[in-house]
Amino acid sequence: YSPSAFSLSSSTFPDYGYIGVSLDLEPDDVASLFTVVDEIVASIVAGDISEDEIDRARRPILEQIEENLEQNEYWLRLVSVAQTMPEELERHRLATEHYSSITPEELVAIAAEQMQPELAYRIEILPTPEQD
């Protein structure tokens, strides 16, 4: 499995959602992962993020948006929620513009608001220790 970072927000509960990371690693390395994630978050909040880093993160997202436009599955999903969730149509219309225009300053502000260490909740899914 590949490492991943993701965010999910609720369309039902305002201001509810989460940002997560996941990857497979040895159980003894879990604490190190949390340390690394904390360091990355702290560096972003401190403003240590470059336009190049944003571009490298943004490029695959913009490519996926373009690919979605050619996929029937994408359009069927969008049409299926168009009447009950019209905000999804607006999100579709503005996605390229929004991703293309985000700045390091905006990301720092969002990180400072959303990635507060005292709100972090950590989940470990570990194998059961082997019994002798």
Side-chain angles (χ1 to χ4, degrees):
Y1 296 107
S2 298
S4 64
F6 53 90
S7 67
L8 295 169
S9 58
S10 175
S11 58
T12 304
F13 303 106
D15 300 325
Y16 179 79
Y18 60 91
I19 300 167
V21 296
S22 75
L23 68 149
D24 287 343
L25 44 87
E26 293 297 322
D28 292 342
D29 295 333
V30 172
S32 298
L33 167 68
F34 291 142
T35 299
V36 169
V37 170
D38 290 343
E39 290 170 356
I40 292 169
V41 168
S43 73
I44 294 170
V45 170
D48 187 21
I49 185 167
S50 70
E51 190 65 45
D52 178 61
E53 289 171 311
I54 293 172
D55 285 340
R56 285 186 284 137
R58 176 182 10 226
R59 195 172 311 116
I61 295 168
L62 292 174
E63 288 171 0
Q64 183 62 57
I65 291 170
E66 285 298 314
E67 288 174 19
N68 284 345
L69 299 178
E70 298 178 13
Q71 302 298 321
N72 287 339
E73 182 180 344
Y74 173 80
W75 289 107
L76 287 171
R77 187 203 62 77
L78 189 60
V79 168
S80 73
V81 298
Q83 189 168 7
T84 56
M85 299 170 66
E87 65 275 9
E88 289 294 316
L89 289 174
E90 190 67 8
R91 185 173 297 147
H92 159 77
R93 289 182 187 114
L94 298 174
T96 299
E97 177 185 336
H98 283 174
Y99 280 109
S100 297
S101 66
I102 196 157
T103 66
E105 295 78 19
E106 289 172 309
L107 288 179
V108 168
I110 291 167
E113 177 187 324
Q114 301 292 321
M115 299 177 152
Q116 299 171 19
E118 63 274 9
L119 298 178
Y121 187 74
R122 299 164 192 269
I123 298 172
E124 302 174 23
I125 301 173
L126 301 171
T128 305
E130 293 185 27
Q131 302 288 324
D132 289 328

